[in-house]
Amino acid sequence: MIGAQDLSGFSMFMCGIMLLVPLLGVWYLKLGIARNLFVSTLRMVVQLILIGFFLEYIFKYNNWLINLSWFLVMITSAVFSVIKNSDLKLNHFVLPVLLSFILANFLVVLYFNYFIVNIDFILDAKYMIAIGGMILGNSLRSNVVGLGDFYKALRKDEQLYFYKLSLGATKYEALLPFAKRSFISALNPTIATMATMGIVSLPGMMTGQILGGSVPLVAIKYQIAIMIAILASTFLSISLSLLFTVRYSFHKNGTLKKEIFRISNN
Amino acid sequence: MFEFRHITKQFSEKFVLQDFSFKIAEGDKVNIVGRSGIGKTTLFRLLLGFEKPDSGAIYYKNEPITDINVWELRKKVAYVSQDLNIGRGNVQTFFDETLSLKANILQKSNSKAGIKKQFACFELSEDILSKNIEELSGGEKQRIEIINALILNRKIFFLDEITSALDKVLKAKTLDYFLQNPDFTVLYISHDSYLPTGVELKTLKLDEL
């Protein structure tokens, strides 16, 4: 593979100059986020340098156990991020959500590697970590929305849920309208992105592949496959995390446990 | 049929019920009165198991209501809430969803005719069936919710301010529908002092504690 042209020290310096535009602008306009912007940039640089070195080794050894463990670490941090970005309590949700993310993402990534990319070593670092990272990263927002909104709506429209129960609905029957809405709000952004893909934006994966030396026609095939994989993984992880968390989030009489929320309402 | 035995229920600092006892027999028509905010709706929520008493117990047919058997009770009671947030979407679909619940599937066969009859009875035009719930007026939503309760063919009714958005004639007609039926056991909250003729009402008055 030819690979993208390396960026020299001078290139990175010029990159720093470019940072001055937003940094000085933000400072001049007194937006109060200059410090944040600076710290975030610094964090990004440090984290990426570390991960760069780390990935060098991972790709070099390409050991299935290390690959698998690293993918697990990625999934775990995704789970923490999803729960932290919702109003839900970490200790109550971490296990069921972790389990559903592991199932959903492993299933989709292994399917992808085996049936779509058609490689023999399906735990290959390059594919498992790169493809897995794409899928995780892109389904993260959807999962935050899906899981968070489900419980938020349930707390807000508790009357509606009670009304369904009073009609004789089982817990699952009464939760169905809430689950439907949560699926819709989780999947809609990805569906919308797919509709404008290629025209409004050139997706990151395609850019990467083209710079990496792939011909555009190969890059688009990967892009199509990855978008579908993202949809599948989002759908699976939301279904499973709803299914698993619903078991522990209600009292026997069907009422929602209030202690599952981090921030108490009224 | 129902019995409250020494119920105490407190929300934050305020007692809603304190050592409250009351008996309701089959066929009774019980008017729950008391100033607003005193906890009338809480009685229904206790009966339906959405709230639990801090102490005491509620009995249904001489059995204490528990987290487990309350699910069966919810299949026998038709509750009409004062809350008009009953869902969204098409009205016919709304009825269909109610009848598609496992507990109500037996009521499905004759529902078309039943709904038609109830629409006439509560003076609703049948065009409403194809409208969306969010387009309806308060009074229309209220009647849709009442009909949704009636198509279940249940005999026990918990009615929470179900006539607040109806005009005077419809108010009387609606209350009569429930109160004049000797087979129905009815607990109702109403701010109107409507007295049906020839019906013996029990009054459950919640007082300041």
Side-chain angles (χ1 to χ4, degrees):
Chain A
M1 198 158 74
I2 318 146
Q5 177 159 345
D6 193 9
L7 300 179
S8 63
F10 176 71
S11 313
M12 294 321 280
F13 172 75
M14 290 312 284
C15 207
I17 299 285
M18 194 157 66
L19 177 67
L20 289 179
V21 174
L23 199 59
L24 290 177
V26 159
W27 173 76
Y28 181 75
L29 292 173
K30 295 194 173 57
L31 298 184
I33 54 168
R35 201 189 131 81
N36 256 345
L37 196 151
F38 185 73
V39 172
S40 290
T41 311
L42 208 66
R43 275 192 60 163
M44 171 182 79
V45 171
V46 173
Q47 280 164 208
L48 286 180
I49 288 175
L50 289 176
I51 208 76
F53 281 114
F54 185 70
L55 285 181
E56 286 251 1
Y57 281 104
I58 284 200
F59 288 152
K60 196 164 129 198
Y61 290 116
N62 201 9
N63 172 294
W64 67 271
L65 198 63
I66 299 178
N67 299 348
L68 212 64
S69 316
W70 182 241
F71 191 40
L72 271 178
V73 170
M74 287 165 66
I75 293 178
T76 311
S77 45
V79 168
F80 275 83
S81 153
V82 165
I83 301 174
K84 265 170 88 180
N85 280 300
S86 65
D87 301 336
L88 304 170
K89 254 193 201 151
L90 195 61
N91 58 2
H92 188 88
F93 282 91
V94 73
L95 282 180
V97 178
L98 187 63
L99 185 64
S100 31
F101 273 45
I102 289 176
L103 281 173
N105 286 291
F106 265 97
L107 203 70
V108 171
V109 168
L110 296 183
Y111 180 96
F112 193 97
N113 289 353
Y114 190 75
F115 291 107
I116 298 174
V117 189
N118 221 335
I119 44 176
D120 294 330
F121 178 37
I122 54 169
L123 299 178
D124 189 278
K126 233 190 313 189
Y127 287 94
M128 177 141 127
I129 289 167
I131 302 284
M134 276 293 291
I135 293 174
L136 264 182
N138 282 283
S139 60
L140 202 62
R141 266 199 68 78
S142 308
N143 278 306
V144 171
V145 172
L147 191 66
D149 280 12
F150 176 77
Y151 285 99
K152 209 189 277 176
L154 204 50
R155 177 154 72 164
K156 193 173 137 263
D157 287 336
E158 196 178 40
Q159 288 302 331
L160 188 61
Y161 170 67
F162 283 167
Y163 181 59
K164 288 274 177 198
L165 289 183
S166 80
L167 294 172
T170 63
K171 184 173 85 182
Y172 291 98
E173 284 175 327
L175 289 176
L176 196 63
F178 292 92
K180 279 186 184 170
R181 264 197 274 165
S182 134
F183 276 114
I184 293 172
S185 49
L187 292 174
N188 263 346
T190 312
I191 294 173
T193 309
M194 295 204 315
T196 57
M197 189 151 280
I199 301 173
V200 178
S201 65
L202 207 54
M205 180 169 188
M206 265 179 80
T207 311
Q209 276 192 306
I210 292 172
L211 289 180
S214 297
V215 291
L217 281 179
V218 174
I220 60 146
K221 280 192 245 173
Y222 269 92
Q223 187 59 39
I224 291 168
I226 204 89
M227 288 314 292
I228 294 171
I230 289 167
L231 274 183
S233 123
T234 307
F235 187 82
L236 277 179
S237 51
I238 292 178
S239 321
L240 293 174
S241 47
L242 289 185
L243 205 64
F244 294 158
T245 58
V246 152
R247 284 176 65 95
Y248 305 105
S249 305
F250 292 84
H251 296 290
K252 279 205 192 95
N253 61 8
T255 52
L256 184 65
K257 287 183 185 167
K258 296 287 182 278
E259 61 266 28
I260 64 166
F261 293 104
R262 237 180 321 139
I263 310 144
S264 64
N265 211 16
N266 49 62
Chain B
M1 180 169 259
F2 290 104
E3 190 184 350
F4 293 92
R5 285 192 202 163
H6 307 288
I7 300 287
T8 296
K9 178 75 189 170
Q10 197 179 1
F11 281 122
S12 47
E13 297 291 289
K14 203 181 120 209
F15 279 100
V16 178
L17 298 167
Q18 204 167 19
D19 197 29
F20 171 82
S21 297
F22 196 84
K23 272 187 188 177
I24 297 154
E26 198 168 344
D28 273 358
K29 312 289 186 278
V30 182
N31 185 11
I32 302 167
V33 294
R35 92 181 151 69
S36 43
I38 202 163
K40 299 188 293 292
T41 302
T42 304
L43 279 184
F44 288 161
R45 292 168 68 102
L46 285 165
L47 282 163
L48 289 163
F50 301 144
E51 299 282 351
K52 278 192 219 181
D54 300 329
S55 66
I58 305 168
Y59 288 74
Y60 170 65
K61 293 192 170 166
N62 299 317
E63 290 277 335
I65 299 174
T66 65
D67 281 355
I68 310 302
N69 63 22
V70 74
W71 293 92
E72 286 310 306
L73 180 59
R74 289 174 189 156
K75 295 177 193 166
K76 297 195 175 90
V77 170
Y79 168 56
V80 184
S81 71
Q82 92 192 106
D83 196 74
L84 292 177
N85 173 16
I86 50 175
R88 33 182 122 174
N90 181 276
V91 174
Q92 178 68 54
T93 314
F94 173 69
F95 291 132
D96 289 343
E97 276 173 5
T98 301
L99 293 164
S100 306
L101 299 175
K102 264 181 255 153
N104 307 330
I105 210 87
L106 288 174
Q107 312 302 334
K108 199 163 190 171
S109 50
N110 257 329
S111 63
K112 275 262 181 313
I115 291 172
K116 214 175 160 141
K117 202 182 94 197
Q118 301 298 357
F119 263 62
C121 175
F122 290 99
E123 301 176 18
L124 282 175
S125 134
E126 277 179 49
D127 311 340
I128 286 181
L129 279 175
S130 55
K131 282 193 187 168
N132 281 336
I133 291 173
E134 43 283 43
E135 297 166 42
L136 305 182
S137 71
E140 286 167 338
K141 275 190 206 168
Q142 218 155 32
R143 281 172 283 171
I144 293 297
E145 208 184 326
I146 292 168
I147 293 170
N148 197 42
L150 287 170
I151 55 178
L152 300 175
N153 287 318
R154 298 178 183 178
K155 298 265 184 293
I156 307 167
F157 292 91
F158 298 164
L159 313 175
D160 194 350
E161 307 242 16
I162 62 164
T163 57
S164 59
L166 303 183
D167 65 44
K168 212 173 163 192
V169 179
L170 260 173
K171 241 172 216 176
K173 195 170 176 181
T174 306
L175 284 173
D176 272 343
Y177 187 97
F178 289 100
L179 300 177
Q180 303 283 359
N181 189 326
D183 293 336
F184 289 172
T185 305
V186 182
L187 277 75
Y188 73 105
I189 297 170
S190 175
H191 275 302
D192 313 296
S193 47
Y194 172 73
L195 284 174
T197 44
V199 181
E200 199 187 326
L201 286 184
K202 269 190 178 179
T203 303
L204 195 168
K205 190 162 166 39
L206 293 181
D207 278 317
E208 299 289 337
L209 294 167

